[in-house]
Amino acid sequence: MKNTSKLALLALLAFTTFSCSSDSDKSGEEVIGGDTGKTKYIITATTGAQGIADYLLTTDDISTGSITTTGNGIEQDGSYRYYITAQNNFFSLLYGQGNPGAVTTYNLNTEGKLVKKSNFQAETVHVFAAINKDILTIKVPRSGAASIASMYKIDAEKSLIIGEAQQDTKKLAGNGERAFFTWATQVGDKVFMPYMSIKGDGLDNFGTVNPDSTWVAVYNYPELKLEKVIKDNRTSYLGAYYTNGLYQDENGDAYGFSSAAATSNAVVTSTKPSAVVKIKKGTTEFDKTYFFNVQEKSGGYKIASSSYISKGKVLLEMYGTPGTNKGAVKLAVVDVYTQSFTWVTNAPAVISFSTVNRYNIVSQDGNSAVVGINTPEGNWIYTINGSTGVATKGIKVEGGEITAIAKLKY
């Protein structure tokens, strides 16, 4: 099943230096990739060894064959790593347990070799998203007296912090609790930040007395000035701790995904269904005429995480036990335009962990999600068709569990 405790740890950001292997840039010089029209896939895999986070593996083809961490890839240090691509650069983020660290940027040189481009210092954060030509990161306090969330803008081309802003999360929530941003999404020329309302009392940090409400804070960009909060009460908060739950489609509309899994003292207290809501292009209100009850369409299952494919198609991880946020996950595809629900076929029967959410990519034809799936029998990259829901097994990853897949051009 999906390791929810692991996802809970995937929360803070810092970056560190690397111990390099055969794929590293031995000279230490910056090497800028060209534009040959070619692409390479980056697969990250963790061996579970103490002090070692992941290996960065590169390949031209993910449809067949195998790849291994043994004697291969760029070895990284640390415990947990998280990734984002922006402006054709690959950023490696280390879970720093609250401590600042080095932001490490990679790209491909003209030969298609993954090389280290730069390092710089950054705060540990909980949210990171590509906005315009930047990466927006947010450090969000969740307990104690501190209530100020710090937002940092990183120039994704130059790998430099170029600005910051702050938000009082207690003032933003305005209900005696505090706001905790689940993610950030560019919608038009603004940044939409869904948030949870949490107690933050140290004993039940992520518990809430407001389980059946939805909030999205709207900020202008690049100033990051709060404009308003969009509210609804037909489902619960969007996304989850360290989990994106809001996507803009090709038409400019935004769709939000709720697990309806808010808790109090570790007990689910949400009474509303797990569902999809909509914000029409150019508006800052929920569309009251739209409500996709995924829990009903699925036969009682709740959304665990989601990943937008294209043209209204979205890949979902569903909790395996109906009506709860527990159970070995199952995969499904939905069409938010027609409100159709399809269970994925040909996927592994037991999924230990998958890269659904931030860590997968869209296929070359734009109609499928390319996802890493770890199972008790082995770990593979799968391509899941957004129209049919059929999964196709691709390259096998040996010597480690898949944690992410990305793609760069050179």
Side-chain angles (χ1 to χ4, degrees):
M1 72 176 200
K2 180 176 176 179
N3 188 339
T4 53
S5 63
K6 180 186 287 187
L7 287 183
L9 285 172
L10 298 181
L12 307 177
L13 263 178
F15 307 101
T16 189
T17 56
F18 290 85
S19 164
C20 298
S21 68
S22 59
D23 285 347
S24 61
D25 176 20
K26 301 298 184 181
S27 70
E29 298 178 355
E30 179 179 329
V31 183
I32 304 299
D35 187 10
T36 64
K38 298 179 181 180
T39 60
K40 258 191 194 300
Y41 297 93
I42 303 170
I43 301 171
T44 68
T46 181
T47 63
Q50 185 176 2
I52 300 299
D54 290 331
Y55 284 81
L56 305 184
L57 309 173
T58 58
T59 181
D60 296 313
D61 185 8
I62 55 169
S63 65
T64 188
S66 65
I67 193 169
T68 181
T69 62
T70 303
N72 188 31
I74 301 178
E75 180 185 320
Q76 302 179 73
D77 57 359
S79 298
Y80 297 97
R81 288 271 176 174
Y82 323 108
Y83 308 96
I84 184 171
T85 54
Q87 297 301 297
N88 203 39
N89 289 314
F90 181 82
F91 294 82
S92 180
L93 293 63
L94 173 69
Y95 172 69
Q97 299 184 4
N99 299 315
V103 178
T104 307
T105 311
Y106 290 85
N107 66 1
L108 297 173
N109 65 14
T110 54
E111 297 176 352
K113 181 180 179 182
L114 189 66
V115 293
K116 185 167 63 176
K117 179 180 176 182
S118 67
N119 286 307
F120 65 95
Q121 292 292 309
E123 289 290 334
T124 290
V125 299
H126 306 76
V127 173
F128 53 98
I131 309 294
N132 289 341
K133 293 185 178 181
D134 304 329
I135 295 175
L136 173 64
T137 65
I138 311 173
K139 181 176 182 177
V140 192
R142 61 185 179 187
S143 63
S147 63
I148 303 299
S150 298
M151 307 174 186
Y152 303 95
K153 295 180 296 180
I154 298 172
D155 185 311
E157 293 179 327
K158 299 178 180 179
S159 295
L160 295 172
I161 297 173
I162 56 173
E164 61 181 277
Q166 295 183 326
Q167 174 65 62
D168 188 321
T169 59
K170 291 182 178 179
K171 183 178 180 181
L172 179 61
N175 58 7
E177 297 188 332
R178 64 176 71 202
F180 193 96
F181 299 114
T182 57
W183 212 247
T185 301
Q186 182 171 351
V187 179
D189 60 355
K190 303 182 187 300
V191 179
F192 284 19
M193 300 186 195
Y195 64 82
M196 311 160 64
S197 178
I198 65 172
K199 296 176 185 177
D201 60 10
L203 298 175
D204 188 23
N205 276 344
F206 287 98
T208 181
V209 296
N210 301 281
D212 292 328
S213 295
T214 309
W215 307 271
V216 178
V218 179
Y219 293 84
N220 67 3
Y221 200 82
E223 293 83 4
L224 287 171
K225 180 179 179 181
L226 178 66
E227 294 188 347
K228 69 173 296 185
V229 176
I230 308 172
K231 302 177 181 180
D232 204 342
N233 60 3
R234 293 173 294 170
T235 186
S236 190
Y237 59 81
L238 305 180
Y241 182 50
Y242 207 82
T243 301
N244 191 12
L246 184 70
Y247 308 92
Q248 180 181 236
D249 73 354
E250 295 85 346
N251 301 320
D253 299 324
Y255 292 86
F257 294 74
S258 174
S259 299
T263 64
S264 180
N265 296 312
V267 176
V268 174
T269 52
S270 295
T271 64
K272 302 297 175 69
S274 179
V276 182
V277 290
K278 177 181 178 181
I279 303 170
K280 288 183 178 179
K281 178 182 178 180
T283 72
T284 50
E285 299 288 344
F286 284 108
D287 180 356
K288 298 298 185 181
T289 69
Y290 182 94
F291 189 76
F292 180 7
N293 190 332
V294 174
Q295 189 166 339
E296 180 180 58
K297 286 286 183 73
S298 66
Y301 294 86
K302 291 188 175 187
I303 300 166
S305 61
S306 56
S307 182
Y308 188 77
I309 302 174
S310 68
K311 299 178 181 178
K313 307 295 194 307
V314 184
L315 176 64
L316 301 181
E317 267 191 343
M318 306 294 291
Y319 289 113
T321 304
T324 73
N325 61 343
K326 298 178 180 180
V329 296
K330 304 168 68 174
L331 300 180
V333 172
V334 295
D335 187 325
V336 296
Y337 300 161
T338 63
Q339 298 195 20
S340 63
F341 181 96
T342 304
W343 289 111
V344 169
T345 58
N346 292 347
V350 179
I351 298 174
S352 304
F353 179 78
S354 84
T355 63
V356 173
N357 199 272
R358 297 164 308 282
Y359 303 141
N360 51 273
I361 59 176
V362 175
S363 62
Q364 195 71 31
D365 64 5
N367 192 45
S368 300
V370 181
V371 183
I373 297 180
N374 302 315
T375 79
E377 289 73 40
N379 312 312
W380 289 269
I381 300 295
Y382 277 80
T383 299
I384 301 173
N385 188 282
S387 298
T388 65
V390 176
T392 302
K393 182 189 290 187
I395 191 172
K396 184 176 185 180
V397 178
E398 298 179 316
E401 294 186 351
I402 305 166
T403 56
I405 180 168
K407 183 170 64 174
L408 295 179
K409 63 182 180 179
Y410 66 98

